[in-house]
Amino acid sequence: MKKLKKPFMLAVAVILMMATVLVGCSGNNGNESEPTPTKEPQEDKTSGNGDKKEDPAGDKWVLGEKPFKFSAYAHYPNDFPDWETTPFGKWLKEEKQVEVDVVKAGGQHVAKLATMMSTGELPDLIWTDRFHPEMDRLREAGKLVAFDEYLDKYPNLKEWMGDDLNMLRHEDGKLYQFPNWYTSQPNGSAGYVVNKKIYEELGKPPLQTTDDLYAYLKAVKEEYGDSIVPFEPDRAQDANGLGVLYTAFGEDKEALYSYLNRSILSVPKGDKLTSILDDPIFREAQKYISKLYREKLISQEAFNQTRDQVEEKVMAGRVAVYAAANPTQYASTAHYEMIKDDPDSGYFMIKPIHKPGLDQDKIKAGTYTSFGWNAAYITTAAEDPEALFAFLDFMTSPEGMNVQFFGPEGLYWDGFDENGLPNFTENYDQEEVSKFDPENSQIMLVGNTAYINPAKYKYMKTLPFDEQDWTTKYMQTITLPSQANVTEFVGLDPAPDSDEGIIKTSVDEIFLEYYTNSATASSDEEVDKILDKGSQALKDAGYDKLLEWRSAKWQENLKTLSGNE
């Protein structure tokens, strides 16, 4: 690790004072979301046997030719596990001579990063949100490595991502972040999961509209009492499942899950981003949600529960309907565990719920961006930044992706077909293969959605629907068509010590207070009163100035995406 100079130490004093402020990820802490099928891989990525075509860029750093060790820090509430405890991490150490020294924060990630920045002891690699404000501080201090000179030499990111990669460039025009789960096609798993046994016992009633859902949740409550949670919204303070329910009240981009994200927290109207609390669609959704809550049809601990508590309920089959930004994470595992004891139990997914009169096919239960959810940054502490970039490039290569999802080459897959997809062997064991993804998920620093999803589905589509992998089949048939592209809204977080950044801190706290109070209100009239009061509180905190700043950044994004920079 290298030390920072004194001027930079002074610059991060603000961070130390804010060390107790947690940084939210809107329900996606990097290791929660799973990629979905996208496009067929391009034929020029690999030769027929999976070998890379000759590269004209000169000598490359090749993974495995010599030992390579680097330090990595995850700037999230959950630390990286020790890499060698995962199948991919173990394979990297044994087969590629790669060791990762994990820097842990023990749940104090904001304070940990502030300390590392103030003392100058930086890890080689930091994994956190795209355009994280603290990463911009490091960039301005000259402590991040630009990737531009490596893009042609190690081309997976450039070739698979496409022109949207330019959206990740910083103000100086350079690229400092390697995106996770980049793609050029829809992806995501936000939506609704239904308990199969309960649904069948209640006669398989329609579950399409908000009226249908209300009637069904009431039936669950009457039949099962407190033993079953009618509607489980995951962590409501992250607007998780309640955010999915909000989308039922607007078509296309009228109501998107991401509008509740702290990095957007607004609704587009024309060429401006406007107040979320004043939006009629948001208010209508809050009235519906508060009705469910006061009739005890929604988990009463929704705004206080942990992810572990959510997982326990889903795994035990104690929920009738479960909605979240990534419900497949728990529901898939729970499904397979439940059907071991009772083949008629388990979970299935349904198309997005919609308000009567709206077009169900225009409801977008979730969102995605071309660059996934988070990014890897290389600091100047790295002794060999090119080697570290090459390592990230390998992780998103066909070989790297296949090892992470299907295990080492030779057992379940062997070589590549003419499209660069893996050739699966006669030893392919769906149950065993399905373990690699969740066991490796916490160290998936970077991922290539555009490649791995067609690879995953290559085997699945040869099977009858009921025999396909639970997650893959529902993402193919249910969630993929109902995810909206919100790439245009990235990078809307101001620097923490800017006027807008200081305003944002207050706005986030105020919004959560009034969002919680309105969702748990005792009547529709009280919802409006609470939101009116909250709207004024936001204005008093400078919300209009933040909206003006975000609107300008949004318009810049639209110009970049259209090629009219």
Side-chain angles (χ1 to χ4, degrees):
M1 294 184 178
K2 295 181 180 179
K3 291 191 174 182
L4 303 178
K5 296 178 181 179
K6 284 187 177 180
F8 184 66
M9 292 170 64
L10 295 175
V12 298
V14 175
I15 312 172
L16 284 169
M17 291 189 295
M18 298 173 62
T20 57
V21 181
L22 296 180
V23 180
C25 293
S26 302
N28 287 312
N29 289 336
N31 55 3
E32 294 179 12
S33 295
E34 186 158 343
T36 57
T38 53
K39 66 176 181 179
E40 288 300 312
Q42 301 171 24
E43 293 185 4
D44 62 350
K45 299 296 181 297
T46 60
S47 62
N49 62 5
D51 295 327
K52 281 282 184 180
K53 292 183 177 181
E54 184 176 349
D55 179 65
D59 292 335
K60 289 186 175 184
W61 186 91
V62 180
L63 192 70
E65 284 191 346
K66 59 182 179 180
F68 178 54
K69 185 175 183 178
F70 66 91
S71 57
Y73 164 70
H75 187 55
Y76 288 112
N78 298 322
D79 293 323
F80 284 130
D82 294 331
W83 276 47
E84 64 272 15
T85 63
T86 67
F88 184 57
K90 182 180 179 182
W91 178 84
L92 285 171
K93 184 175 182 179
E94 295 177 351
E95 301 296 329
K96 298 297 184 179
Q97 304 186 73
V98 175
E99 291 188 57
V100 181
D101 181 13
V102 174
V103 178
K104 299 189 176 183
Q108 302 298 317
H109 64 294
V110 176
K112 179 66 175 179
L113 180 60
T115 299
M116 290 191 294
M117 292 173 69
S118 65
T119 62
E121 295 293 331
L122 292 173
D124 300 333
L125 182 144
I126 298 175
W127 188 62
T128 186
D129 294 347
R130 298 183 316 271
F131 289 106
H132 194 291
E134 310 309 346
M135 296 303 99
D136 210 41
R137 289 179 182 277
L138 289 175
R139 179 189 64 82
E140 291 174 349
K143 298 303 175 182
L144 292 183
V145 175
F147 300 156
D148 300 76
E149 66 178 293
Y150 308 136
L151 292 176
D152 291 324
K153 197 171 183 180
Y154 308 96
N156 282 298
L157 175 59
K158 182 178 180 179
E159 292 186 2
W160 288 95
M161 176 95 189
D163 293 339
D164 281 0
L165 183 61
N166 290 325
M167 284 285 292
L168 291 175
R169 295 186 180 279
H170 282 73
E171 293 178 357
D172 60 4
K174 296 181 180 180
L175 183 69
Y176 295 90
Q177 48 190 329
F178 198 119
N180 196 15
W181 302 123
Y182 54 83
T183 181
S184 56
Q185 297 293 322
N187 111 75
S189 58
Y192 301 83
V193 171
V194 178
N195 187 309
K196 180 185 176 186
K197 196 171 187 66
I198 293 174
Y199 182 70
E200 291 181 346
E201 289 177 350
L202 292 178
K204 299 182 180 181
L207 266 180
Q208 297 185 20
T209 70
T210 49
D211 290 346
D212 293 339
L213 178 62
Y214 174 71
Y216 182 68
L217 299 181
K218 285 196 67 174
V220 170
K221 180 73 174 175
E222 292 171 0
E223 180 68 23
Y224 301 97
D226 295 335
S227 65
I228 297 293
V229 176
F231 186 84
E232 175 52 60
D234 210 288
R235 280 172 51 85
Q237 60 265 53
D238 295 331
N240 209 307
L242 298 186
V244 173
L245 197 51
Y246 157 61
T247 69
F249 293 84
E251 296 178 345
D252 295 322
K253 290 190 174 183
E254 290 179 334
L256 295 182
Y257 176 94
S258 287
Y259 296 161
L260 304 180
N261 190 311
R262 305 304 190 271
S263 65
I264 301 178
L265 211 56
S266 55
V267 178
K269 302 288 184 183
D271 61 353
K272 301 293 183 182
L273 294 178
T274 63
S275 171
I276 182 73
L277 296 191
D278 293 338
D279 181 57
I281 293 177
F282 172 76
R283 291 197 170 209
E284 183 178 14
Q286 287 301 93
K287 291 172 183 177
Y288 179 83
I289 288 169
S290 70
K291 178 181 179 181
L292 298 186
Y293 189 87
R294 62 178 173 264
E295 294 186 22
K296 294 184 170 32
L297 302 180
I298 287 180
S299 174
Q300 297 297 285
E301 64 270 20
F303 283 94
N304 301 306
Q305 63 190 355
T306 65
R307 295 305 308 282
D308 288 343
Q309 290 172 314
V310 174
E311 181 180 15
E312 186 278 325
K313 285 184 282 187
V314 175
M315 290 295 296
R318 293 195 297 108
V319 301
V321 179
Y322 170 45
N326 181 27
T328 61
Q329 181 187 20
Y330 296 149
S332 176
T333 302
H335 172 80
Y336 287 115
E337 287 298 316
M338 291 165 66
I339 63 175
K340 286 180 181 179
D341 297 328
D342 183 357
D344 295 325
S345 62
Y347 292 106
F348 65 95
M349 295 195 75
I350 59 172
K351 289 185 176 182
I353 297 294
H354 64 287
K355 173 187 171 182
L358 299 185
D359 186 343
Q360 187 176 44
D361 292 334
K362 293 183 179 180
I363 303 299
K364 304 300 181 182
T367 58
Y368 72 96
T369 70
S370 296
F371 354 97
W373 298 274
N374 32 45
Y377 301 78
I378 299 174
T379 76
T380 53
E383 293 185 7
D384 191 345
E386 179 177 340
L388 191 41
F389 184 89
F391 171 76
L392 297 176
D393 181 79
F394 170 81
M395 286 190 73
T396 66
S397 70
E399 181 185 2
M401 286 280 90
N402 288 331
V403 173
Q404 291 175 76
F405 280 86
F406 309 119
E409 184 175 9
L411 179 57
Y412 300 125
W413 68 281
D414 190 8
F416 298 80
D417 65 17
E418 66 278 6
N419 293 316
L421 297 177
N423 292 318
F424 294 113
T425 70
E426 60 183 13
N427 297 319
Y428 192 96
D429 185 317
Q430 184 173 326
E431 183 175 354
E432 291 301 314
V433 168
S434 68
K435 296 177 182 178
F436 286 112
D437 179 3
E439 289 178 358
N440 289 322
S441 64
Q442 292 188 64
I443 65 166
M444 288 179 178
L445 284 171
V446 289
N448 182 345
T449 301
Y451 173 80
I452 195 58
N453 288 324
K456 290 168 64 177
Y457 197 57
K458 177 185 175 181
Y459 178 81
M460 289 302 141
K461 65 185 180 183
T462 67
L463 303 175
F465 184 79
D466 290 342
E467 296 179 19
Q468 293 180 18
D469 170 72
W470 192 93
T471 298
T472 303
K473 69 183 181 183
Y474 284 119
M475 293 175 85
Q476 280 280 349
T477 59
I478 299 293
T479 70
L480 184 60
S482 61
Q483 310 295 303
N485 189 337
V486 292
T487 303
E488 65 193 79
F489 298 109
V490 302
L492 302 188
D493 269 336
D497 58 348
S498 66
D499 289 345
E500 292 82 7
I502 294 171
I503 291 172
K504 177 187 180 300
T505 299
S506 297
V507 164
D508 289 350
E509 294 175 355
I510 293 169
F511 171 77
L512 179 57
E513 176 185 353
Y514 288 94
Y515 179 67
T516 303
N517 291 344
S518 61
T520 58
S522 59
S523 67
D524 289 354
E525 292 74 21
E526 187 180 4
V527 170
D528 281 325
K529 289 180 181 178
I530 290 171
L531 294 180
D532 286 344
K533 186 177 180 180
S535 178
Q536 186 60 51
L538 288 177
K539 289 179 181 179
D540 293 343
Y543 187 38
D544 288 343
K545 183 174 183 179
L546 176 61
L547 289 175
E548 182 178 356
W549 183 89
R550 283 179 165 166
S551 294
K553 294 291 289 185
W554 173 45
Q555 291 302 310
E556 289 177 13
N557 287 349
L558 291 175
K559 290 180 181 179
T560 300
L561 288 170
S562 66
N564 295 323
E565 289 185 277

